[in-house]
Amino acid sequence: MTTLNIDIKEEQRKAQAEVEKQGLRVLVCCGTGCMANGSLNVIKKFEELGANVSILGDYEKLTIVPTGCHGFCEQGVLVIIPQTHTAYVKVKPEDVEEIVESHIKGGKPVERLLYTDPKTNQKVQKSEDINFYAKQTRTALANCGHINAESLDEAIAVRGYEALANVLKENNPDAVIDTIVKSGLRGRGGGGFPTGLKWKFTAANRGGKSYVVCNGDEGDPGAFMDRSVMEGDPHKLLEGIAIAAFAIGADEAYIYVRAEYPLAIQRLRKAIKDAEERHFLGKNIMGSEFNLEIHIKEGAGAFVCGEETALMASIEGERGMPRPKPPFPANKGLFGRPTLINNVETLANVPVIMLKGADWFASMGTETSKGTKTFALTGEVNNTGLIEVPMGTTLREIVFDIGGGIRGGKKFKAVQIGGPSGGCLTEEHLDIPMDYDNLTKAGAMVGSGGLVVMAEDTCIVEVARFFMNFTQNESCGKCVPCREGTKNMLKILEKIVAGKGEMSDLDLLEELAVAVKDGSLCGLGKTAPNPVLSTLKYFKDEYISHIKDKKCPAGVCTAMKKIVINPELCRGCTKCARTCPVGAIEGELKQVHKINQDKCIKCEACLNGCPFKAIGKE
Amino acid sequence: MSVESHQKIDTMKLDSIMAQYNYDKANLIAILQAVQAEFKYLPEDAIIYIGTKIEGLSPATVYGVATFYAQFSLEPKGKYEIKCCDGTACHVRGSMPVLNAIKSRLKLKDGQMTTDDGMFSVETVSCLGACGLAPVVVINEKVYPQMTSDAVKIVLDTLMSEGK
């Protein structure tokens, strides 16, 4: 046992009293999504109007709290008044006056700014009743959107640094590792390796210099959970890193963040500074013997740096190229020293596990995958945003309940899960419980948790080409199977999409896919063929229609698209001929018009403008 | 390298940046980021200068790092840096028509990144993490959500009239 010079419970009481003094809290989402929709102007307006407000109920004053991401990015700017259980969506600066006058002064919520359920068309006042939130269980994201991301006090008020204080007091690193092992937590960055084991392996080399590295290089296009944690609850991440460092005996840590996330970098920097000032980080943390210095390293835009050995090379200032393992980072990592690398979401789960216990965490999820997982739900779905659900939730619950179904009443086609390393899941997978093992069995992977929903009008072959283009661009070029294999797979896919494919290409594509998968050095190459393999498995028909019939069933692939005018509907108004940017439409006034296919660039400008809906795609 | 072009580069500035990072080769990426923020790109002379000044590096190593990461540009970028997101979510929701609209409005030829007058440069990026707002275009750090080909043209027109 170690005696600490900071009584965390006392700090918590003080911080809670400070939050209490804020009176009525108006939470305005300041995640990247809502900021883009103008949340800073909403705050400005509130501050202008809020100064001389007589407050609703018993609250003496009003405090505008800029928070991290609430997750429901589609509906931004989100304004939540938790004490009156009200969530406002799509708030604009000009709506603020009405909220202040009607709700805050008058006690009457502004109905028109409440969320409308797309299924029932009913207004929903409480955020916990909105389907998007009702089905979620938030652990890593628990505080995101509920606290001021830039205030250490608010983090402490919701039990921030309590787990670290307990761990330091007990002073038993092995017990910490045992708890993490028992919780069943697995790496949230993609691979799903048991976190506790990784800690154990690294801790076996205690004694000399070692490091903790937090992987915040969230490179998967379509995933933004790590960004939300870093922006919305930076202290939770720092606490997780500190507990990990204590457990493995490290005194220095790096957080590797993508340069594309300037807000996350800024908030983390502030959080580190604030925590150091209060001795929650730095030398002799809370009066114990434990020291920890945390640095931020900005990435510079390379997907391969998500791979741990490449990431370490990048921190060392080199090109981010992976190297063969072993030696594993646990033995020989950053600057040649034992290194523990965990992803942001993984580390954000650590403080909660230490507080609530391994059994609590293990009670959620499935047999092999415990706890909750965040998913970035995007694409052709009504409610896009960031969600967190227990492992084992089905795709149907996510897409149709939380996501509110497909946009514009279109038909569900597939979900691409796990980004460019993952695969696609179709209608037949809607009811399987999603966890690491079930998804691997289905030919996909949890990956970082990007879920891109695709509807009937998304071309699967084009999507496969898109991912292959991405991985080919991001291949670092070190090993031949990945460098040359992805290039040639891309060539074949481009050929098929251009309507020049042959049936033999499909066999070649599959053969190459297997070679790249088996022969590549690192995770990037080993998983790059996944989108192709899984689309070939579930949507072979679509490949075949591109090749044999020279048709794109979804009507997406430009080379196979033909824009035509229906002579029965055309009235010869000349509008299309005037709209066409390349002069491809010919015809006299009041005569049926015709599109010259040689000139047509398939921009669809005419299609959208025709008053008689006479123009269509063939 | 000609003597003339050497004179163009502000080596004092480069030295002060390198000093900030202790002339440490582990900080090379951060140094290059600071240089790019200063000059808007990585001038060839800067790469050579850094490669000769920092112990353990050579101009070739610096060049290798500079060309490895997507963030670095060896050519000057425009006054307005347009990043058109082509992540999965943006792609599925139509980022390519938006990119084409930008290119056609700026009269950029195939493969051309920066407009002739140096006002605009355009690049695609893989994901900006604002997928809920897809498709997204970022111009000089300002995020423009839910873009369409028409909306982006209006944005560009506004910037063009401001720029004049």
Side-chain angles (χ1 to χ4, degrees), chain A residues 136-156:
Chain A
Q136 296 193 41
T137 309
R138 297 192 152 210
T139 311
L141 299 175
N143 302 329
C144 272
H146 296 286
I147 57 169
N148 182 342
E150 297 191 3
S151 156
L152 174 58
D153 265 331
E154 291 209 12
I156 294 173

Side-chain angles (χ1 to χ4, degrees), chain B residues 31-49:
Chain B
I31 291 168
L32 293 180
Q33 278 164 337
V35 171
Q36 176 150 308
E38 181 68 31
F39 297 95
K40 289 289 222 175
Y41 75 116
L42 297 179
E44 198 177 324
D45 291 357
I47 290 177
I48 295 170
Y49 191 73

Side-chain angles (χ1 to χ4, degrees), chain B residues 24-72:
Chain B
D24 182 355
K25 69 175 182 153
N27 290 328
L28 177 59
I29 293 170
I31 291 168
L32 293 180
Q33 278 164 337
V35 171
Q36 176 150 308
E38 181 68 31
F39 297 95
K40 289 289 222 175
Y41 75 116
L42 297 179
E44 198 177 324
D45 291 357
I47 290 177
I48 295 170
Y49 191 73
I50 295 168
T52 41
K53 275 285 196 164
I54 296 180
E55 209 188 311
L57 291 181
S58 68
T61 330
V62 181
Y63 181 78
V65 171
T67 49
F68 185 84
Y69 294 98
Q71 196 193 12
F72 298 125

Side-chain angles (χ1 to χ4, degrees), chain A residues 13-318:
Chain A
R13 274 189 290 276
K14 274 194 248 161
Q16 281 160 353
E18 282 306 309
V19 173
E20 195 83 4
K21 277 190 212 150
Q22 292 178 356
L24 186 71
R25 281 160 60 87
V26 177
L27 311 179
V28 181
C29 179
C30 286
T32 298
C34 283
M35 293 260 268
N37 277 329
S39 49
L40 291 183
N41 289 330
V42 170
I43 290 181
K44 216 167 112 201
K45 198 79 197 172
F46 263 115
E47 280 169 352
E48 276 169 32
L49 294 168
N52 48 3
V53 159
S54 72
I55 305 297
L56 173 79
D58 299 329
Y59 302 105
E60 281 174 7
K61 66 184 260 219
L62 170 99
T63 303
I64 313 300
V65 184
T67 69
C69 183
H70 287 263
F72 206 3
C73 309
E74 177 81 35
Q75 298 284 332
V77 175
L78 294 153
V79 174
I80 293 183
I81 310 180
Q83 285 128 314
T84 71
H85 302 282
T86 315
Y88 290 119
V89 297
K90 296 195 174 168
V91 177
K92 296 197 171 53
E94 52 268 33
D95 299 325
V96 171
E97 197 167 351
E98 198 179 340
I99 297 178
V100 171
E101 289 298 320
S102 169
H103 190 175
I104 295 174
K105 286 190 189 169
K108 199 171 153 287
V110 184
E111 182 123 333
R112 90 186 155 81
L113 295 172
L114 298 176
Y115 173 72
T116 314
D117 190 301
K119 281 181 190 155
T120 60
N121 248 341
Q122 298 279 313
K123 291 280 179 191
V124 187
Q125 184 175 350
K126 295 184 187 174
S127 62
E128 53 268 38
D129 291 341
I130 296 175
N131 253 336
F132 179 78
Y133 290 112
K135 303 246 170 176
Q136 296 193 41
T137 309
R138 297 192 152 210
T139 311
L141 299 175
N143 302 329
C144 272
H146 296 286
I147 57 169
N148 182 342
E150 297 191 3
S151 156
L152 174 58
D153 265 331
E154 291 209 12
I156 294 173
V158 291
R159 304 182 74 183
Y161 294 100
E162 188 184 330
L164 178 63
N166 295 344
V167 162
L168 293 179
K169 219 184 295 172
E170 277 162 29
N171 200 16
N172 186 350
D174 288 329
V176 176
I177 297 176
D178 284 342
T179 307
I180 299 299
V181 170
K182 227 175 115 203
S183 73
L185 176 66
R186 293 171 68 174
R188 297 295 192 243
F193 189 80
T195 307
L197 274 186
K198 215 178 201 182
W199 289 26
K200 213 173 217 167
F201 294 152
T202 323
N205 298 312
R206 264 188 216 129
K209 178 92 186 164
S210 54
Y211 296 95
V212 171
V213 172
C214 169
N215 185 348
D217 187 49
E218 188 170 48
D220 274 13
F224 52 103
M225 52 282 294
D226 293 347
R227 146 177 244 165
S228 291
V229 172
M230 293 186 281
E231 286 179 5
D233 196 1
H235 287 288
K236 181 181 269 176
L237 176 62
L238 299 182
E239 190 183 359
I241 293 172
I243 294 171
F246 174 78
I248 65 148
D251 63 355
E252 209 172 341
Y254 285 89
I255 310 177
Y256 189 88
V257 193
R258 303 176 71 200
E260 286 89 336
Y261 288 179
L263 190 61
I265 293 168
Q266 179 200 320
R267 290 202 176 141
L268 280 169
R269 285 225 164 97
K270 179 168 192 318
I272 293 173
K273 195 169 149 268
D274 291 350
E276 280 176 351
E277 274 168 18
R278 298 268 293 264
H279 301 288
F280 290 142
L281 290 178
K283 289 248 175 300
N284 297 101
I285 296 175
M286 300 190 210
S288 69
E289 298 283 295
F290 175 54
N291 308 319
L292 178 65
E293 196 182 347
I294 302 184
H295 313 275
I296 309 262
K297 275 274 179 179
E298 281 180 53
F303 177 64
V304 69
C305 289
E307 208 283 335
E308 50 188 22
T309 55
L311 188 145
M312 292 186 304
S314 185
I315 292 181
E316 291 171 15
E318 293 170 12

Side-chain angles (χ1 to χ4, degrees), chain A residues 227 299-301 318 379 407 462, chain B residues 33 69-71 91 93 127-128:
Chain A
R227 146 177 244 165
E318 293 170 12
R407 263 163 190 263
E462 212 291 317
Chain B
Q33 278 164 337
Y69 294 98
Q71 196 193 12
H91 188 80
R93 280 205 188 167
C127 185
L128 295 158

Side-chain angles (χ1 to χ4, degrees), chain A residues 356-374:
Chain A
K356 297 195 183 175
D359 293 335
W360 166 82
F361 190 79
S363 71
M364 295 183 290
T366 64
E367 193 55 40
T368 55
S369 311
K370 301 298 184 189
T372 54
K373 174 79 191 92
T374 59

